[in-house]
Amino acid sequence: MTATAIPVGTPDPSEPQAAPGSRAARRLRRVLPASVAALSGVLLYVSFPPRTVWWLALPALAGLGWALHGRTWKAGLGLGYLFGLGFLLPLLVWTGVEVGPVPWLALAAVEAVFLALVGAGISAVSRLPARPVWAAALWTAGEAARARVPFEGFPWGKIAFGQAEGVFLPLAAVGGTPVLGFAVVLCGFGLFEAVRLALLARRTGAVRRGAATAALLALAVPLLAALAARPLVSDRAENGTATVAVVQGNVPRAGLDFNAQRRAVLDYHARETERLAAEIEAGRVPRPDFVLWPENSSDIDPFANPDARHVIDRAAKAVGVPISVGAVVERDGKQLNEQILWDPEKGPTDTYDKRQIQPFGEYLPLRSLIGAINDEWTGMVRQDFTRGTEPGVFTMAGTKVGLVTCYEAAFDWAVRSEVTDGAQLISVPSNNATFDRSEMTHQQLAMSRVRAVEHSRTVTVPVTSGVSAIIMPDGRITQRTGMFVADSLVQEVPLRSSLTPATRLGVLPEIALVLVAAAGVGLAVNRAVRARRAGTGTPGPAAA
């Protein structure tokens, strides 16, 4: 028989050939989970302020649940990272507004590692009964780690901070951001589980009753718990009221160069305060009990600069009530981001030094390494700020005002410490001028709304360039300014001293949920070890 030559590249007819459709299906099966994970991350970003579609967090988490379900932990690691990039890249784009894309991309890439680890853990527990509970606990554990490391943590983007408009918000008063976030994630993964089981029942006609019950409970319990927590949310005055004025002086120009305009920024805030004083004298605005200026409203040290001291003195005397002034001061060779209580008669009488300072903004970790990469970056933070050590509660016209300076609002402990130290009202003085008109200021405002409900306190947000606001203890914004305008807000607000369960419990709910996450991973590992010993290699498919 004469052999027939087969041209190179032509399939051998003796070998079984896969149908083109099956190859396409395999390719789709490889690509689809990664695409769904990344797009689910983007959908979670869309659920965050300034948009009010908080409920999109649920399908976003359900999509992540689908992508991770039944995967190996290694696959979960990659899918979780893609989800993290989809979420954090657009959420944190404001960090590169003035310094370029490299710090933004680096921050998102590092923070997404935590979500990669969460993805690996969720994949591991996705074969266990009650898997939405384990998944939600693992998410909380990931947020707990992200809020602490590296460089003292970066909790921006906690699930809870996207829920200021949502039905789950009352749960902040029960157990703070960990419990609020746990409930949202539980509901999202419960949604996936309920849809999965419904499709399975349609296809096979049989679903385990226990699995169906667990899915429905994961959906229903967070919503019922939020409804049950509503009585904890109140704007009723417990210690009378105070009339507060929030001053937004504005800045000449947005961006990092606002620091070169320090005297102009101080003058703007003094001028707006003097304009407010004229409105008060004319009877068009009620006289406030005290006035709150933003962070960096006086970047000229008033203790060392007589001109700056004179400008603040003049403004305080014009309005006739105490002012909390945000200043940058140097003391004993240390640079401090400080709030100063300025009395119209006595001058400065008390101070609070910011405790949670911002890495790469107020101090530069790894300075020598970063300088070796790009010495321009080290020039942006020429001198590191020093951390304060004590809570800041000013007594202003008989009202105890807790100070939480800007970045500190993202940290659970920094807000709680002011309330446990006696604060009847919280002020979050901030400076967002370096981030132009980005979403940063709206994201931070949402944090303050969550904190108001968490601790049942009025929260004021004085910002150099906006958005400044007054927030009731139930999370409602009653007044707000525009961006990059000079304005002032005056309002009588309730004072409260009772402590919510979240304030009393502090970090305990978070610790409990981290332990639940550890238990879930332990069960998953034990199950995998038993399966290997039994000779099955890997656990079977997740039970219905």
Side-chain angles (χ1 to χ4, degrees):
M1 181 180 294
T2 304
T4 303
I6 300 175
V8 175
T10 302
D12 188 340
S14 66
E15 294 293 331
Q17 299 300 313
S22 65
R23 287 200 300 270
R26 283 199 301 272
R27 192 176 298 114
L28 181 63
R29 282 197 296 271
R30 285 196 298 269
V31 172
L32 190 58
S35 300
V36 169
L39 290 173
S40 295
V42 174
L43 190 62
L44 181 60
Y45 154 71
V46 174
S47 75
F48 270 65
R51 294 157 295 277
T52 57
V53 285
W54 56 270
W55 50 270
L56 284 179
L58 302 182
L61 293 162
L64 178 64
W66 178 87
L68 296 175
H69 183 71
R71 308 282 174 187
T72 66
W73 70 266
K74 290 181 181 178
L77 196 70
L79 292 169
Y81 194 72
L82 289 173
F83 177 89
L85 290 178
F87 172 46
L88 293 169
L89 278 171
L91 185 82
L92 302 178
V93 69
W94 51 266
T95 60
V97 166
E98 294 296 332
V99 295
V102 173
W104 159 51
L105 295 173
L107 177 62
V110 170
E111 293 299 312
V113 170
F114 291 93
L115 290 170
L117 295 172
V118 169
I122 292 175
S123 294
V125 302
S126 68
R127 300 173 186 274
L128 298 177
R131 38 193 163 264
V133 175
W134 307 119
L138 278 161
W139 187 283
T140 305
E143 288 191 339
R146 200 157 67 84
R148 290 167 173 82
V149 292
F151 313 126
E152 305 293 327
F154 186 74
W156 213 278
K158 275 188 170 186
I159 286 286
F161 296 148
Q163 296 297 309
E165 296 276 354
V167 298
F168 299 102
L169 182 59
L171 290 171
V174 176
T177 59
V179 168
L180 173 53
F182 174 83
V184 176
V185 179
L186 178 62
C187 201
F189 276 83
L191 174 63
F192 158 68
E193 191 69 6
V195 172
R196 185 185 76 83
L197 292 175
L199 294 174
L200 183 63
R202 185 177 179 181
R203 189 171 68 249
T204 66
V207 172
R208 286 185 181 180
R209 181 178 299 176
T213 301
L216 291 175
L217 287 175
L219 263 175
V221 167
L223 292 166
L224 294 173
L227 183 64
R230 287 186 64 83
L232 295 173
V233 180
S234 172
D235 62 358
R236 180 177 59 85
E238 295 175 332
N239 308 109
T241 62
T243 300
V244 58
V246 169
V247 167
Q248 175 177 303
N250 201 15
V251 299
R253 294 184 302 279
L256 289 176
D257 64 344
F258 91 95
N259 284 309
Q261 314 160 48
R262 295 181 299 169
R263 177 55 191 265
V265 173
L266 172 58
D267 287 344
Y268 278 24
H269 284 81
R271 187 182 306 157
E272 179 60 25
T273 303
E274 290 164 359
R275 188 197 66 78
L276 174 62
E279 294 286 295
I280 294 166
E281 290 302 319
R284 289 188 287 269
V285 175
R287 182 174 296 278
D289 296 308
F290 49 88
V291 174
L292 301 169
W293 282 11
E295 176 189 34
N296 298 124
S297 46
S298 177
D299 274 354
I300 301 174
D301 185 349
F303 297 110
N305 190 304
D307 287 350
R309 185 182 186 110
H310 172 71
V311 169
I312 299 170
D313 257 334
R314 188 181 64 206
K317 284 180 167 57
V319 77
V321 297
I323 302 177
S324 178
V325 177
V328 174
V329 305
E330 290 195 23
R331 187 177 298 116
D332 302 325
K334 299 175 181 178
Q335 185 167 255
L336 301 164
N337 186 335
E338 191 164 83
Q339 288 289 311
I340 306 170
L341 176 54
W342 207 284
D343 185 86
E345 301 300 329
K346 302 175 184 176
T349 60
D350 200 358
T351 60
Y352 166 64
D353 299 324
K354 187 176 181 180
R355 293 171 293 164
Q356 189 69 44
I357 56 177
Q358 183 182 350
F360 305 101
E362 292 172 306
Y363 78 100
L364 196 62
L366 311 174
R367 182 177 286 274
S368 58
L369 175 62
I370 290 171
I373 298 171
N374 189 330
D375 57 4
E376 289 184 8
W377 293 345
T378 59
M380 292 179 183
V381 187
R382 292 186 178 86
Q383 181 180 351
D384 291 343
F385 280 80
T386 299
R387 300 175 187 276
T389 57
E390 300 294 331
V393 179
F394 289 168
T395 301
M396 304 183 73
T399 298
K400 292 188 176 297
V401 179
L403 284 307
V404 180
T405 306
C406 196
Y407 184 59
E408 293 182 319
F411 292 83
D412 296 346
W413 67 267
V415 186
R416 178 177 179 268
S417 66
E418 313 303 68
V419 179
T420 56
D421 206 43
Q424 300 166 302
L425 177 149
I426 298 169
S427 181
V428 185
S430 302
N431 172 34
N432 299 336
T434 52
F435 305 111
D436 204 354
R437 296 181 180 273
S438 70
E439 294 181 357
M440 183 270 187
T441 189
H442 301 285
Q443 293 170 9
Q444 190 176 55
L445 185 60
M447 292 179 195
S448 297
R449 296 181 66 184
V450 173
R451 298 306 185 191
V453 174
E454 181 180 9
H455 300 292
S456 195
R457 296 292 188 273
T458 297
V459 176
T460 61
V461 186
V463 184
T464 49
S465 55
V467 174
S468 300
I470 295 176
I471 305 167
M472 291 293 99
D474 60 5
R476 288 179 300 118
I477 296 177
T478 53
Q479 291 193 63
R480 63 191 297 166
T481 69
M483 294 187 72
F484 293 99
V485 294
D487 203 353
S488 55
L489 309 174
V490 181
Q491 185 174 324
E492 184 180 13
V493 298
L495 302 178
R496 294 177 60 85
S497 57
S498 62
L499 302 182
T500 63
T503 310
R504 293 180 186 277
L505 292 170
V507 75
L508 292 179
E510 186 176 57
I511 291 173
L513 291 171
V514 169
L515 293 175
V516 170
V521 172
L523 287 172
V525 170
N526 183 57
R527 187 174 184 269
V529 169
R530 287 207 322 261
R532 278 199 297 271
R533 287 176 178 171
T536 58
T538 57

